[in-house]
Amino acid sequence: MVQRDRREVEKANLTDKRYPIKGMNVWTPYGWKIMQAIDRHIREGFDATDHQEVCFPLLIPEDQFAKEKEHIKGFDAEVFWVTHAGLNPLDVKLLLRPTSETAMYPIFSLWVRSHADLPLKTYQIVNTFRYETKQTRAFIRVREIHFFESHTCHADFEDAERQVREDYDILEELASKWCIPYRLLKRTEWDKFPGANYTVGVDTLLPSGRSLQLGSIHQYKENFSRPYEIKYEDEKGEHRYVHQTTFGMSERLVGAVVAIHGDDKGLVLPPDIATNQVVVIPVLAKGETEKVSNAARALRDELKAAGVRVHIDERDVRPGVKYYDWELKGVPLRLELGMRDIEKGKVTFVRRDTGEKSLKDRARLVEEVRSMLALIAHDMLARASKEMASGIATVDSLEGLPEKMIRTGWCGGEDCGHEIENRSERNILGTPVEKDEFDGKCVVCGKPTKTPVYLARAM
RNA sequence: GGGGUAGUGGUCUAGCUUGGUAUGAUACGUGCUUUGGGAGCAUGAGGUCAUCGGUUCAAAUCCGAUCUACCCCA
């Protein structure tokens, strides 16, 4: 099953792994289109909530990177360094950003002067670099990461908390477009982001039973604003440090879409992500080729005018080849049009997610396509959510655990936490942020608790 | 972090034990016939055998290092 996650990614040809640097792959045109669709959703979501897109430099000077002690401790083992410029060694080494806090915050300290400048809400979509020492894997663990990161500054803790809640709302809307179920889990103290006050992980579950972290939301409090001196003057003329948050997601989203929705025939793309939402296949017949072609092009034109992303496949190959091709590529809806349909005034609809075929009236084309795409999106999310729910097992003992995500009791103590991780041979993902009824005992010490903890083998 | 397996036209692969310039399939180009689930025939093009070094008259083949991919264990 672990293999399946990988095979689907590779068969679909979204990335070319032949580039000769470990963990650095080439995006193919089709793969990049999918990534761009996801980026577009992210931009829409964050623009709509008054975030400003920015773009900071890739290189960070060593001294600037080193200001926050926890942060550098968490990252310095996995940064790439630039040590030379041309033939000359650099006085101050430069690193490729593993994440952009230390690139942005010195500049934020110049941008933020007064309470009127707050909140400062920014984001960028850039590549980051991490020298992963573990096995690399396309989209899931790479050394050059296509990365989204929002960075915000707030007058006080409560306003930063409001930002975290806004991030949850944005995420919910995005994930429904991607048809990806997830849990918001507050990480343990020993697993939080280096430098954060607390970290909330966005975790999904793959068909293999392993968890995949899709993103993370961090509350920094004043942990970065103090070393980077991001201060403002409040209404009373007093100088205060800002409270900060970040939200990060990456190309892992593509990996998640592929692994969660893909099947034996290849990719299955959610309609909001699909480069082509609909593919039209003309089924030509001897002597009638012109007639069928024209009718098929008319379908294409009508859908295109209605704002549907549609492609007509007029290659001179047999229809069966086209069916297999577009199934592999994951196009949500296939329309077939041949003489048989034309004579009846129908169009053949074939859903990618279920394979179900149906005949629809040609006259009602646009509304039938729209409602079918909506139905496909709805069903894909519903199926994936159900799958994730059934992949979580609630237990009151760590013996003989099933190959699932585990939900159990934890008193919250660090000693018990480590013992849970050791005995279960899984990682603690965290405790739920959202409502999650539970009434049990810590599996280690037996102390009663109302909060469950989630464990999994991480991808 | 520890161990293991592998790299040959775009892709997959034979050849490696026993050294003598590479096999087949698929995909690709062209032409004709086809078209409701992977068509057929003809023809054409495509390889510094991962890289670097060593042994040898001669290396895909033997030896070493490096890079990359994959698997298992922590």
Side-chain angles (χ1 to χ4, degrees):
Chain A
M1 285 300 266
V2 175
Q3 282 191 358
R4 207 197 103 186
D5 298 338
R6 195 190 72 248
R7 263 211 321 273
E8 296 312 323
V9 174
E10 293 190 354
K11 245 187 353 193
N13 194 235
L14 304 178
T15 186
D16 196 326
K17 299 176 67 177
R18 289 172 296 184
Y19 196 77
I21 299 180
K22 184 182 177 70
M24 296 191 184
N25 303 324
V26 176
W27 289 93
T28 61
Y30 197 60
W32 188 239
K33 282 262 197 243
I34 290 169
M35 188 70 249
Q36 297 269 288
I38 289 173
D39 287 346
R40 193 173 63 243
H41 297 148
I42 291 173
R43 285 196 168 92
E44 286 165 4
F46 282 83
D47 289 348
T49 47
D50 298 321
H51 289 72
Q52 309 282 330
E53 184 166 3
V54 294
C55 188
F56 274 72
L58 165 64
L59 296 175
I60 302 171
E62 181 176 23
D63 50 344
Q64 187 167 311
F65 177 64
K67 279 187 180 164
E68 206 292 321
K69 289 192 181 60
E70 291 299 318
H71 186 72
I72 183 172
K73 215 161 61 187
F75 280 103
D76 69 354
E78 54 181 59
V79 293
F80 285 94
W81 290 100
V82 175
T83 59
H84 286 70
L87 301 176
N88 303 318
L90 291 168
D91 292 341
V92 178
K93 287 192 292 179
L94 306 172
L95 61 113
L96 306 188
R97 59 178 166 230
T99 172
S100 301
E101 282 75 4
T102 62
M104 298 172 111
Y105 296 172
I107 300 299
F108 280 9
S109 80
L110 301 174
W111 287 356
V112 175
R113 304 256 64 111
S114 99
H115 62 89
D117 297 325
L118 298 174
L120 176 68
K121 298 166 73 169
T122 68
Y123 73 92
Q124 62 179 10
I125 298 178
V126 294
N127 287 11
T128 59
F129 295 81
R130 296 180 188 176
Y131 182 78
E132 289 287 352
T133 51
K134 287 185 174 177
Q135 176 71 54
T136 56
R137 203 181 284 280
F139 302 118
I140 305 293
R141 188 177 297 118
V142 288
R143 287 177 169 179
E144 179 173 2
I145 309 161
H146 182 78
F147 195 57
F148 154 82
E149 51 184 327
S150 75
H151 292 258
T152 66
C153 299
H154 305 270
D156 53 36
F157 180 73
E158 191 35 52
D159 197 54
E161 286 292 284
R162 267 196 293 279
Q163 182 58 52
V164 168
R165 289 192 295 271
E166 180 177 88
D167 288 346
Y168 296 158
D169 293 340
I170 296 169
L171 174 65
E172 186 176 0
E173 198 177 321
L174 293 175
S176 82
K177 287 185 179 173
W178 306 329
C179 304
I180 295 179
Y182 62 92
R183 293 284 188 282
L184 291 173
L185 298 172
K186 189 168 177 180
R187 293 286 187 258
T188 59
E189 279 301 301
W190 62 90
D191 194 31
K192 68 186 185 185
F193 182 81
N197 175 248
Y198 70 80
T199 290
V200 172
V202 181
D203 295 300
T204 192
L205 185 61
L206 300 183
S208 59
R210 289 183 183 251
S211 68
L212 181 69
Q213 177 174 330
L214 296 174
S216 47
I217 295 167
H218 311 288
Q219 163 68 268
Y220 289 165
K221 275 181 113 169
E222 300 175 352
N223 293 358
F224 284 89
S225 63
R226 285 180 182 273
Y228 287 93
E229 297 195 55
I230 311 175
K231 288 186 288 192
Y232 69 98
E233 198 170 333
D234 71 10
E235 293 90 330
K236 294 172 192 149
E238 283 171 29
H239 292 266
R240 295 181 179 282
Y241 289 105
V242 299
H243 286 248
Q244 291 177 280
T245 79
T246 60
F247 184 179
M249 292 187 286
S250 76
E251 63 187 87
R252 276 191 174 185
L253 293 165
V254 175
V257 165
V258 170
I260 289 172
H261 299 300
D263 61 22
D264 293 341
K265 294 176 177 173
L267 277 185
V268 182
L269 292 177
D272 275 325
I273 288 180
T275 307
N276 301 308
Q277 298 172 302
V278 173
V279 62
V280 176
I281 312 282
V283 183
L284 305 180
K286 199 171 182 178
E288 308 272 18
T289 56
E290 275 300 298
K291 191 171 176 183
V292 176
S293 287
N294 289 337
R297 286 176 197 154
L299 283 190
R300 189 262 321 266
D301 293 342
E302 197 173 325
L303 289 171
K304 201 171 176 183
V308 175
R309 295 195 293 277
V310 58
H311 175 75
I312 183 167
D313 188 348
E314 299 195 88
R315 289 178 299 163
D316 182 22
V317 292
R318 298 168 79 98
V321 175
K322 300 180 184 181
Y323 302 159
Y324 284 108
D325 268 9
W326 294 108
E327 280 166 358
L328 180 64
K329 286 177 177 293
V331 175
L333 180 60
R334 178 172 87 231
L335 303 186
E336 301 173 11
L337 187 73
M339 283 310 293
R340 234 153 60 189
D341 307 288
I342 292 172
E343 280 158 10
K344 283 185 278 190
K346 302 279 187 182
V347 177
T348 302
F349 280 44
V350 187
R351 293 174 63 157
R352 175 63 181 90
D353 61 331
T354 61
E356 187 190 343
K357 274 193 187 191
S358 52
L359 280 182
K360 305 287 184 192
D361 286 335
R362 171 64 182 86
R364 290 165 38 85
L365 177 74
V366 170
E367 56 183 301
E368 292 286 5
V369 165
R370 280 195 179 131
S371 68
M372 182 61 87
L373 289 174
L375 181 65
I376 290 170
H378 172 270
D379 290 355
M380 284 178 72
L381 179 57
R383 191 199 56 78
S385 298
K386 206 175 142 194
E387 198 107 315
M388 179 161 182
S390 71
I392 300 174
T394 299
V395 303
D396 53 16
S397 152
L398 296 176
E399 309 311 316
L401 293 175
E403 285 300 314
K404 291 186 173 191
M405 188 181 276
I406 301 298
R407 179 173 174 267
T408 190
W410 175 42
C411 64
E414 186 157 343
D415 289 345
C416 288
H418 289 306
E419 190 164 341
I420 288 173
E421 292 194 316
N422 289 336
R423 276 170 47 193
S424 66
E425 297 179 311
R426 286 164 170 77
N427 298 314
I428 291 185
L429 298 176
T431 52
V433 167
E434 295 151 307
K435 197 171 175 194
D436 193 340
E437 296 286 346
F438 186 80
D439 193 4
K441 293 173 184 160
C442 176
V443 272
V444 177
C445 68
K447 200 169 140 190
T449 174
K450 299 262 183 199
T451 313
V453 64
Y454 285 79
L455 322 172
R457 293 205 169 93
M459 188 67 190

